[in-house]
């Protein structure tokens, strides 16, 4: 396994956090386009296909293939590498896209691989591979919604992932199962089994507001959950917009009937 850049970091803030990464000369960090908050003089930006690690391993075609896969997750073909071209330590910072927590994941301590929600990756030490992880089970593909296509982070360096709202970390014992909303999954170790289950009762599906399906996570392995998925936040903001539809909280005669199927109302 390739050796990743070893970077120091510090996370600031409470509800709207940002992570400040310190780079030695020639060290670099990679991030999704648009995630940078600030960078000190001496750090240069370089836009590359994919995450940059493919370029090192298999040339331009490998980088192009890796970048093309990222389209399936809704991400940009390009990522940005921030390289310290100066003579001393320099800092670059990346901000949370919405209220929540930034999780620092040491991939070496987590077995070299993490599967995470497709929009949760924030940044990483250069050399960490950012790919896609398809779910093999048919039910997950048909009904998994946000959880169908996940991102896969591989390497032995630090990666930073964002969770919306409040973060919950759990270690599932072998065979232990937890049922969760698909949007509330932030990340999990590959040893955790992921599947989709039908709620089972039509009355609950129609009137509970939780949707027809939920995800089941079965151990062993560590999982990270978020209390505020981006889709749920966007739904609440949209329903509050003048003329965009009135939610149950605003006394609509129809209540949340229109959103019963998405499990986020």
């Amino acid at each position: 396994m390739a050796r990743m850049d070893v970077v120091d970091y510090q996370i600031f803030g409470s509800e709207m956090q940002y992570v400040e990464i310190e780079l030695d000369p020639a060290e670099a960090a990679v991030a999704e386009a648009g995630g940078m908050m600030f960078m000190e003089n001496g750090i240069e930006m370089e836009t590359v296909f994919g995450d940059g690690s493919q370029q090192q391993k298999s040339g331009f075609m490998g980088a192009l293939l890796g970048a093309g896969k990222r389209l399936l997750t809704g991400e940009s073909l390009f990522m940005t590498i921030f390289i310290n071209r100066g003579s001393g330590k320099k800092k670059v910072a990346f901000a949370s896209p919405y209220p929540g927590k930034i999780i620092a994941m040491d991939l070496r301590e987590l077995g070299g691989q993490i599967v995470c929600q497709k929009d949760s990756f924030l940044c990483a030490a250069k050399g960490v591979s950012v790919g896609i992880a398809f779910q093999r089970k048919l039910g997950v593909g048909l009904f998994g919604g946000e959880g169908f296509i996940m991102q896969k982070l591989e390497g032995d360096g630090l990666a930073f992932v964002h969770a919306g709202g409040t973060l919950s970390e759990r270690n599932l014992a072998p065979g232990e199962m937890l049922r969760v909303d698909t949007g509330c999954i932030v990340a999990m170790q590959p040893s955790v089994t992921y599947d989709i289950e039908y709620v089972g009762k039509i009355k609950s599906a129609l009137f509970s507001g939780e949707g027809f399906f939920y995800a089941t996570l079965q151990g062993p392995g560590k999982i990270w959950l978020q209390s505020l998925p981006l889709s749920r936040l966007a739904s609440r903001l949209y329903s509050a917009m003048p003329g965009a539809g009135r939610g149950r909280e605003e006394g609509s005669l129809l209540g949340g009937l229109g959103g019963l199927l998405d499990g986020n109302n």
Side-chain angles (χ1 to χ4, degrees):
M1 184 179 293
R3 181 70 180 176
M4 312 292 125
D5 282 357
V6 179
V7 298
D8 296 319
Y9 73 96
Q10 190 171 359
I11 295 175
F12 295 89
S14 54
E15 304 304 325
M16 287 294 294
Q17 294 186 325
Y18 70 93
V19 56
E20 190 177 85
I21 297 177
E22 186 176 76
L23 301 173
D24 290 326
E27 280 188 344
V30 60
E32 293 286 359
M36 191 269 288
M37 179 180 174
F38 69 81
M39 59 182 182
E40 293 183 343
N41 188 32
I43 291 182
E44 297 180 2
M45 292 192 300
E46 180 181 345
T47 301
V48 297
F49 279 117
D51 53 27
S53 62
Q54 291 291 334
Q55 285 185 329
Q56 294 176 337
K57 295 176 181 177
S58 50
F60 177 75
M61 291 306 296
L64 187 62
L65 179 61
K69 291 178 181 177
R70 289 167 47 76
L71 289 177
L72 297 175
T73 67
E75 303 292 350
S76 168
L77 281 171
F78 301 93
M79 295 187 77
T80 306
I81 294 178
F82 298 83
I83 308 172
N84 181 4
R85 301 290 191 193
S87 56
K89 293 180 179 293
K90 304 292 180 184
K91 294 178 180 177
V92 58
F94 305 93
S96 301
Y98 57 97
K101 301 297 180 185
I102 294 175
I103 315 164
M105 293 185 168
D106 189 332
L107 297 180
R108 179 174 47 188
E109 295 180 354
L110 294 169
Q113 187 181 110
I114 281 293
V115 177
C116 62
Q117 193 73 262
K118 60 182 183 295
D119 57 359
S120 61
F121 172 71
L122 188 63
C123 58
K126 186 177 182 294
V128 170
S129 172
V130 184
I132 58 174
F134 284 110
Q135 301 300 325
R136 298 177 180 175
K137 294 186 177 181
L138 181 61
V140 176
L142 291 175
F143 309 114
E146 295 165 272
F148 171 39
I149 299 177
M150 309 281 279
Q151 283 186 322
K152 182 173 59 179
L153 308 180
E154 292 181 287
D156 58 5
L158 278 171
F160 298 90
V161 171
H162 177 258
T166 300
L167 172 68
S168 173
E169 298 184 29
R170 299 175 66 107
N171 281 298
L172 298 181
E176 182 181 0
M177 180 181 291
L178 191 67
R179 295 182 173 89
V180 301
D181 184 287
T182 56
C184 290
I185 300 171
V186 176
M188 55 189 171
Q189 288 186 293
S191 57
V192 175
T193 303
Y194 174 38
D195 204 352
I196 294 295
E197 279 191 10
Y198 173 55
V199 169
K201 295 180 180 178
I202 189 65
K203 185 170 70 175
S204 296
L206 288 174
F207 301 109
S208 69
E210 301 298 336
F212 285 87
F213 304 96
Y214 45 62
T216 57
L217 304 179
Q218 185 169 3
K222 187 171 184 178
I223 62 173
W224 293 261
L225 305 177
Q226 59 186 353
S227 66
L228 182 63
L230 177 59
S231 60
R232 189 173 298 180
L233 174 62
S235 175
R236 291 292 189 272
L237 292 175
Y238 177 77
S239 64
M241 293 173 61
R246 304 179 65 189
R248 285 169 294 184
E249 297 81 359
E250 296 172 300
S252 168
L253 290 176
L254 295 177
L257 194 58
L260 279 174
L261 298 179
D262 64 7
N264 285 326
N265 288 286

